Amino acid sequence: MRWLAANAPVSERALSAPATDEDIAGLRERLGFEAPEALEAWLRMNNGSTEKDSTAPRPDGARGSFRTGTR
């Protein structure tokens, strides 16, 4: 994330805090299966971004945060 902070500070500030073990467990529960290791690793670095990106429709047609713990 150091590169992002140095080269795209606005984007770096928009990233959410890392996902917790509880966040990952909740994701697994909602999915009904284990998430790929690469996705879990990414979420443990940052758990989505701020609401600035939430206006895009999600695959389920809803609008809202892409973060693992919110809708």
Side-chain angles (χ1 to χ4, degrees), residues 1-67:
M1 299 297 170
R2 284 179 270 172
W3 182 93
L4 199 59
N7 295 282
V10 172
S11 295
E12 191 268 338
R13 285 191 301 273
L15 293 177
S16 297
T20 65
D21 290 339
E22 292 83 19
D23 292 330
I24 299 295
L27 174 64
R28 290 176 186 146
E29 184 178 320
R30 283 187 303 282
L31 289 174
F33 56 87
E34 295 288 316
E37 287 182 32
L39 175 59
E40 287 190 19
W42 175 257
L43 292 172
R44 289 181 191 282
M45 288 191 295
N46 77 80
N47 191 12
S49 64
T50 62
E51 295 300 315
K52 75 168 188 65
D53 293 333
S54 67
T55 58
R58 297 188 322 216
D60 63 3
R63 290 187 180 271
S65 177
F66 283 95
R67 293 177 291 189

